[in-house]
Amino acid sequence: MGRAYRGLLHACAVIAALLLGVTALLVTGDVVARNVGLGTLPWILEVSEYVLPLATFLVAPWLLARNEHVRLDVLLTALPAPLARALGRTGDLLGLAICAVFVIYGARAIASSAQQGSLVIKSVVFPEWWLYAPVPACFGLLAIEFARRLLGHGGPPVATGPHA
Amino acid sequence: MVWWLAATVLFGLLMALFAIGLPAAFAFFGINAVGAWVWLGGDPGLVQMIRNGVASISSFSLTPIPFFVLMGEVLFHTGVAMKAIDAIDRLIWRVPGRLSVVAVVAGTVFSAISGSTIATTALLGSLMLPEMLRRGYHPSMAMGPIMAIGGVDMLIPPSALTVLLGSLAGISIAELLIAGILPGVLLSAAFVAYIVVRAALDPALAPLFEHERLPAWDRWRPLLVYVMPLVIIFVVVVLAMTAGWATPTESAAVGAVATVAVAWIYGSVSWSNLLKALLGTAGISGVILFIIVGATTFAQILTFSGATNGLVEAIQGADLAPLVVLGIMMLILLVLGCFIDQVSMMLITLPFFMPLVQHYGFDPVWFGVCFLICMQLGLLTPPFGMLLFTMKSVAPKQIAMQQVFAAVTPYVVFGVLMLLVVIAFPPVATWLPRVLFGK
């Protein structure tokens, strides 16, 4: 169970990574084509905009499972262990609650957009709710991760994340 | 609710969530959920929060971030960066504190191709620190320059955080990227001068050792082979942006693909290290962008609660000299930088700062560079300087956190001096973009 779950998170992260790589190639191809007079494909620009949120939501649960989201753990490491543990658990509980809110309202955003039949009309036309579809899925996985931590399955809260 | 109470509640809650160790992104989501319920009209406000979240990162102005990060990650994972460092190492000799100087020069070159401060610090730290300590370098002489130059990476384009600042603050991204070059290079030069003087005054800090004497061609060839192509990529990326051939996003994408191509020509690219570089890119960009998901809603809540207007009007009404206001803003950034990460700093302060920048008629590009220098210092100041932790994580076990703090202190002083120089002489920041963009 644990392995399948890790595998799923890793697969999502790999998809995000490949999406970014392919986007870099597409945008480069577009620049080259335009500058040698082959014209431009307007949908490439648009697609690269949508890839950003998609990749972000795909990679977020993997990052949480690896403890790589930036957090301030200086205070926690300075406190006595039992107090730090209690605060850490409070944080996990709040994280779970926050993710639950995002799952519920993410689903509602999808439902209301689908009900109204809203469309995104640019070079590419598609139902607007597609944009919101990754939100509940991402926060659902994040909620599972916080729940696992509360049940004592999460990794140790040590690392500070990568950063630009 | 009066504005100052709203502001106190919002920021108090945010700080409390930060303090209990909740990741920064989730702290913002939590505040947004509460704020959307209270100030954005309950249920519909929360649905709007989701829409805002997606919209805040579906922006073409943010797409350079992963591409800039990718450039650095490719060099790092394919080993090309190591070859470049080695090439620089061969060129610098008979200088007091030689390895520290090599670290600064290599770091400056690497900054010009990497969009990630952490990649630069981790790379130089893991490669050069063991060698420096083995040669008897004092830990402060070994670690300080590496962390300092990692911070400068933020000023020298390509830089992911500069793109983010431009996008969130509505400052021209291309001009801001160019404006960072001169202050960044000046800081590097100051670091080199400081290292040389200090090592000359106290040779025990950086003992001299016999360096292999190579024929001239053997010294210069690696520079031509491994460093020149990287410099050319940098020039092409910068030129494409300034000449209007391509937008920052397009230049970044071309730069990333060119970096992979160069690494491929060296025969250094494999599927496995390319995937590692892409995963690293997704990770680093994901961390930044996930915090941004809360950006639009957070700014809206600050506005709707009256906090933005209240504070901005209070400052405008206080009849302070523009320079004093600027000083207060910088001080706030420096203090925040000690505790929170750079992306959160931008989200918290920009809704207040940009109206003030407009009101007092500050040049936005100049202000942006001052902002960047403060953020760069935030990477280096304890207790939460990100590069301090990066250094600690790649340093040998016997190095204590206190030693890391001590090592970086002189370079923080240089950073503060550079901030003062830019404030006193704005052309240091604005001259280059003005010349290149013809404004």
Side-chain angles (χ1 to χ4, degrees):
Chain A
M1 178 61 201
R3 269 182 68 183
Y5 165 76
R6 299 276 154 194
L8 172 68
L9 297 190
H10 189 72
C12 288
V14 170
I15 295 171
L18 294 178
L19 276 173
L20 292 174
V22 170
T23 310
L25 276 177
L26 283 176
V27 174
T28 305
D30 190 43
V31 174
V32 173
R34 191 180 62 217
N35 281 290
V36 298
L38 286 176
T40 178
L41 295 170
W43 60 266
I44 289 181
L45 246 136
E46 253 174 74
V47 167
S48 73
E49 279 176 39
Y50 303 131
V51 161
L52 221 49
L54 185 57
T56 305
F57 290 127
L58 277 170
V59 81
W62 180 70
L63 288 170
L64 185 65
R66 293 163 56 99
N67 238 318
E68 287 187 5
H69 281 293
V70 258
R71 56 198 282 270
L72 184 63
D73 58 1
V74 177
L75 183 72
L76 290 188
T77 50
L79 288 173
L83 187 57
R85 243 195 324 274
L87 280 180
R89 298 210 128 209
T90 314
D92 290 339
L93 200 61
L94 282 171
L96 180 60
I98 290 165
C99 290
V101 170
F102 273 69
V103 170
I104 294 167
Y105 284 91
R108 285 213 195 165
I110 294 174
S112 76
S113 171
Q115 238 166 27
Q116 291 165 357
S118 308
L119 293 175
V120 174
I121 304 176
K122 290 191 199 163
S123 309
V124 197
V125 179
F126 61 92
E128 187 205 36
W129 67 265
W130 288 13
L131 289 177
Y132 309 127
V135 176
C138 163
F139 282 90
L141 286 172
L142 289 167
I144 293 174
E145 184 59 35
F146 278 119
R148 282 171 59 92
R149 288 184 181 195
L150 280 169
L151 296 171
H153 291 301
V158 277
T160 46
H163 206 273
Chain B
M1 200 183 286
V2 284
W3 72 265
W4 56 264
L5 189 59
T8 314
V9 168
L10 283 171
F11 286 110
L13 268 177
L14 190 64
M15 290 307 143
L17 292 181
F18 276 157
I20 61 169
L22 199 63
F26 295 89
F28 279 108
F29 297 157
I31 295 296
N32 284 352
V34 174
W37 183 265
V38 176
W39 283 290
L40 300 183
D43 241 27
L46 286 163
V47 173
Q48 190 56 41
M49 170 184 78
I50 301 292
R51 290 166 170 267
N52 285 345
V54 176
S56 63
I57 53 170
S58 317
S59 159
F60 198 58
S61 68
L62 294 178
T63 30
I65 293 175
F67 301 153
F68 281 163
V69 174
L70 180 58
M71 292 169 78
E73 289 288 306
V74 167
L75 293 182
F76 183 64
H77 288 287
T78 58
V80 173
M82 285 154 233
K83 291 177 181 160
I85 293 175
D86 185 55
I88 290 164
D89 181 64
R90 290 183 184 209
L91 278 184
I92 297 171
W93 71 104
R94 275 198 253 160
V95 180
R98 194 184 74 87
L99 289 174
S100 305
V101 175
V102 170
V104 172
V105 175
T108 310
V109 172
F110 195 56
S111 304
I113 203 82
S114 147
S116 159
T117 57
I118 225 148
T120 304
T121 311
L123 175 85
L124 291 171
S126 53
L127 282 180
M128 297 201 62
L129 185 60
E131 171 73 2
M132 288 159 116
L133 294 176
R134 195 173 67 80
R135 296 286 187 183
Y137 274 50
H138 190 273
S140 72
M141 202 63 177
M143 293 187 292
I146 296 177
M147 289 184 279
I149 203 66
V152 167
D153 192 326
M154 191 195 286
L155 287 171
I156 298 178
S159 156
L161 286 170
T162 307
V163 172
L164 189 56
L165 176 64
S167 173
L168 289 176
I171 305 172
S172 155
I173 292 172
E175 284 183 48
L176 196 54
L177 283 167
I178 302 294
I181 296 179
L182 195 55
V185 172
L186 284 176
L187 265 178
S188 301
F191 294 161
V192 169
Y194 170 75
I195 291 164
V196 171
V197 169
R198 198 152 166 244
L201 290 177
D202 185 358
L205 286 175
L208 283 173
F209 57 91
E210 202 46 51
H211 187 48
E212 198 187 351
R213 285 284 174 86
L214 296 166
W217 175 239
D218 281 0
R219 266 192 272 120
W220 288 96
R221 198 186 64 90
L223 185 82
L224 287 176
V225 177
Y226 293 113
V227 178
M228 279 321 284
L230 305 186
V231 174
I232 291 170
I233 294 177
F234 167 75
V235 171
V236 169
V237 167
V238 169
L239 252 181
M241 266 187 319
T242 50
W245 298 334
T247 62
T249 299
E250 293 169 341
S251 316
V254 173
V257 173
T259 310
V260 177
V262 165
W264 179 75
I265 292 169
Y266 295 144
S268 310
V269 176
S270 65
W271 286 113
S272 124
N273 63 26
L274 191 59
L275 183 64
K276 269 189 200 149
L278 283 169
L279 261 179
T281 304
I284 293 173
S285 327
V287 167
I288 300 176
L289 293 168
F290 205 51
I291 302 177
I292 301 300
V293 172
T296 317
T297 307
F298 187 69
Q300 273 182 6
I301 290 167
L302 286 178
T303 308
F304 275 73
S305 68
T308 309
N309 268 342
L311 187 61
V312 169
E313 278 169 16
I315 292 173
Q316 286 170 0
D319 217 17
L320 299 168
L323 216 55
V324 174
V325 176
L326 183 77
I328 294 172
M329 289 197 274
M330 296 299 120
L331 204 62
I332 290 172
L333 288 176
L334 290 175
V335 172
L336 279 178
C338 297
F339 300 99
I340 62 174
D341 65 279
Q342 280 54 43
V343 185
S344 304
M345 269 169 81
M346 287 189 243
L347 292 197
I348 291 174
T349 57
L350 287 175
F352 300 102
F353 283 9
M354 291 324 283
L356 290 172
V357 166
Q358 209 170 15
H359 176 79
Y360 289 99
F362 295 146
D363 179 337
V365 172
W366 170 67
F367 177 79
V369 172
C370 295
F371 199 112
L372 283 173
I373 296 176
C374 290
M375 286 206 295
Q376 176 217 332
L377 286 168
L379 286 170
L380 302 175
T381 41
F384 194 52
M386 192 55 80
L387 296 184
L388 304 174
F389 290 100
T390 309
M391 178 50 77
K392 180 77 175 74
S393 68
V394 297
K397 292 266 174 293
Q398 71 269 22
I399 299 284
M401 201 64 206
Q402 277 72 15
Q403 284 175 290
V404 179
F405 290 168
V408 85
T409 309
Y411 302 92
V412 170
V413 174
F414 276 108
V416 174
L417 287 176
M418 181 47 72
L419 178 63
L420 295 176
V421 167
V422 173
I423 290 175
F425 307 102
V428 173
T430 55
W431 173 76
L432 196 56
R434 204 162 282 163
V435 169
L436 286 177
F437 291 95
K439 286 190 178 171

